[in-house]
Amino acid sequence: MGAQSNSYQISNKELTRVAISGWLGTAMEFMDFQLYSLAAAIVFTEVFFPQAEPAVGLIMSMGTYGAGYVARLVGAYVFGRLGDKVGRRTVLFVTITLMGLASTLIGFLPTYAEVGILAPLGLVALRILQGLGAGAEISGAGVMVAEFCQRKSRGFIGSMVCLGTSSGTLLANLIWTIILLNMNHEELLAWGWRIPFYASFLVMIAAIFIRLFIKESPVMAEKKKQLLDEREAQLQSDSARESSHTIGKKSFFTALCLRFGQAGNSGLMQTYLAGFIVTVLAVEKTVATDANILSSLCSFLTIPLVGWLGDHIGRRKMYMILSALMALYAVPMMLMINSGNTVMITLAMIIGLNVGVQGLFAMENVTLAELFGARNRMTLVSLAKEIAGLVATGFGPVIAAAWVSAETGSWWPIAIMIIVFSLSSFLGAYAAEDVTGRDLNELDDAMVDHDLEYEKSHAQALAK
């Protein structure tokens, strides 16, 4: 039986290659993300900004990190559009290559001591290239896998792409841990910091090699045929052209809400809470990082389980269940963390991350792919993810830090923000239609203005 219809067949071998390709691409994106963030915090201040005061150098180092996020939004639109016009497979070759080469070349950059201001400028340029590729990589990979899957197992197979987040995070932390344990500070600054970026090249080669043996998305092939038929109809009737370009603004708004909740929780729990635990609670630095690593390991069970449940009880219902549970859990979680007990902090983080971050992420790529039609699916999925992600992860931790500081280290602002983010996903799912198992060959978005559709159909009937 075909993935969307009986017009084509997908073998298990081919589906496996596509799933592995998506997993490797996502793993590389999150590996690069973690490698860069760790390097920015540990060595980039001394390597690229040695003339600045330590605090200013750290800000400048993090500024290069932020440049990539702006570039992601541009990449989401540019490569999303190309993915919808020329095909998913071609664009995914470009995005993985851009990410991999940019990350690898960071390891070859000269230092400030060698070339002066050209060193940080080169770092910013490569970070922008890295962001351009990342803006559409995970969205494109998710769309590609969803379009290959059979309806009954789309959530389960599609969730495997999300395992790349855990794989990439674990690999990056492992590489840096080995380096830090086996090098002194002088060796690290001299050449050791370059090793993690060289490792990106190996992941890139593996991902490109796998993608050489996958075909174009069958939905993309069907879409091209439908668009040709549509254009022929447009030559005969203006009303046919008008009715065929229904834009699902409700679908896009729903996608923004779903992504905003997941990304907001991720920014708070994976980024800000680590600093809160160390600076406010004065707990050992390794407690937060160990909790993140253990949570990533647990997610290898959580992500496929949530994907499987989404196939069986519906993704809308799963979004509502997980979002409601996270909103209810926010206060108990912060009470456990605020206790200062290592075991309680670790347990609280593992539960929170697997419910409010990894659990929601397990459904995100597939649900967003089902919300949009084949006409502009890759563009709209990429834009929804990057716009909501940029706002939530860009401003969430900053707002939390300022609010907690104003409340002299209290934990309740964090709990309130987690509740707000979780309710965003809950309300987005509540107001949405259940698109589980939707035919991905349909050109238009799932939730269109039904009154407008009726008026167009009525006008067509009168014209005849």
Side-chain angles (χ1 to χ4, degrees), residues 248-261:
K249 295 179 181 178
K250 294 178 182 177
S251 291
F252 192 73
F253 180 74
T254 296
L256 287 176
C257 288
L258 297 179
R259 172 62 173 165
F260 186 75

Side-chain angles (χ1 to χ4, degrees), residues 377-436:
R377 177 173 292 126
M378 191 166 166
T379 304
L380 295 176
V381 169
S382 299
L383 285 175
K385 286 173 71 70
E386 295 306 322
I387 290 172
L390 179 62
V391 174
T393 58
F395 295 101
V398 177
I399 293 171
W403 198 355
V404 168
S405 177
E407 296 299 327
T408 61
S410 176
W411 55 267
W412 63 262
I414 306 172
I416 290 176
M417 290 186 68
I418 290 173
I419 291 171
V420 170
F421 282 128
S422 299
L423 288 180
S424 168
S425 289
F426 179 88
L427 294 175
Y430 179 80
E433 297 175 8
D434 189 359
V435 292
T436 303

Side-chain angles (χ1 to χ4, degrees), residues 43-358:
V43 297
F44 278 0
T45 298
E46 296 178 76
V47 173
F48 292 104
F49 308 101
Q51 302 293 85
E53 292 292 327
V56 176
L58 182 59
I59 292 172
M60 295 171 73
S61 180
M62 290 297 172
T64 64
Y65 174 79
Y69 267 97
V70 177
R72 288 174 70 104
L73 191 56
V74 177
Y77 179 77
V78 173
F79 289 117
R81 292 294 294 167
L82 285 172
D84 285 323
K85 289 182 178 297
V86 304
R88 316 332 188 185
R89 181 178 181 269
T90 302
V91 167
L92 287 175
F93 268 110
V94 176
T95 56
I96 198 72
T97 303
L98 258 183
M99 286 168 50
L101 287 180
S103 188
T104 303
L105 288 173
I106 289 174
F108 288 95
L109 279 175
T111 65
Y112 187 93
E114 294 170 325
V115 296
I117 193 64
L118 292 177
L121 289 177
L123 183 64
V124 171
L126 290 176
R127 180 61 179 160
I128 289 172
L129 287 177
Q130 193 181 57
L132 286 173
E137 168 60 37
I138 190 170
S139 302
V143 166
M144 185 81 161
V145 174
E147 290 182 343
F148 266 91
C149 292
Q150 294 184 11
R151 298 186 192 189
K152 64 181 181 180
S153 59
R154 188 183 291 158
F156 177 72
I157 301 297
S159 71
M160 297 302 174
V161 175
C162 303
L163 288 177
T165 64
S166 303
S167 305
T169 300
L170 285 171
L171 187 57
N173 278 281
L174 179 62
I175 291 171
W176 269 108
T177 299
I178 292 172
I179 289 172
L180 293 174
L181 287 176
N182 290 278
M183 289 187 181
N184 58 42
H185 192 64
E186 289 72 24
E187 291 173 328
L188 182 66
L189 291 180
W191 56 274
W193 67 270
R194 301 179 184 275
I195 296 174
F197 296 100
Y198 298 157
S200 293
F201 186 77
L202 300 177
V203 180
M204 179 191 73
I205 293 300
I208 289 176
F209 180 77
I210 293 292
R211 287 180 182 179
L212 285 173
F213 297 97
I214 62 175
K215 299 176 182 178
E216 178 56 271
S217 156
V219 171
M220 188 68 193
E222 180 69 18
K223 169 190 168 181
K224 290 178 178 178
K225 179 179 180 299
Q226 289 187 58
L227 289 176
L228 284 174
D229 294 340
E230 186 181 272
R231 290 188 186 102
E232 291 181 7
Q234 288 172 8
L235 295 175
Q236 302 173 15
S237 171
D238 289 336
S239 61
R241 180 178 67 250
E242 183 183 3
S243 65
S244 67
H245 289 279
T246 305
I247 298 174
K249 295 179 181 178
K250 294 178 182 177
S251 291
F252 192 73
F253 180 74
T254 296
L256 287 176
C257 288
L258 297 179
R259 172 62 173 165
F260 186 75
Q262 187 275 337
N265 283 341
S266 176
L268 287 182
M269 285 189 267
Q270 292 184 303
T271 303
Y272 176 71
L273 269 182
F276 177 84
I277 289 169
V278 173
T279 59
V280 177
L281 301 183
V283 176
E284 282 290 327
K285 293 180 180 180
T286 55
V287 173
T289 54
D290 288 347
N292 274 317
I293 290 173
L294 289 172
S295 177
S296 294
L297 290 171
C298 290
S299 72
F300 280 88
L301 295 175
T302 302
I303 287 174
L305 175 62
V306 170
W308 181 82
L309 288 171
D311 284 326
H312 287 77
I313 69 173
R315 281 178 267 287
R316 175 176 176 268
K317 188 177 292 184
M318 277 304 299
Y319 257 111
M320 292 170 64
I321 290 172
L322 290 175
S323 299
L325 286 175
M326 192 62 229
L328 293 172
Y329 177 63
V331 171
M333 182 184 77
M334 290 310 303
L335 286 171
M336 292 168 69
I337 291 173
N338 202 57
S339 71
N341 181 276
T342 299
V343 175
M344 294 292 281
I345 291 173
T346 302
L347 182 62
M349 293 277 287
I350 290 173
I351 296 172
L353 286 166
N354 276 272
V355 174
V357 179
Q358 302 286 19

Side-chain angles (χ1 to χ4, degrees), residues 7-21:
S7 60
Y8 51 81
Q9 300 287 329
I10 303 299
S11 68
N12 289 333
K13 185 177 181 180
E14 187 171 11
L15 182 58
T16 300
R17 283 198 296 262
V18 173
I20 292 175
S21 168

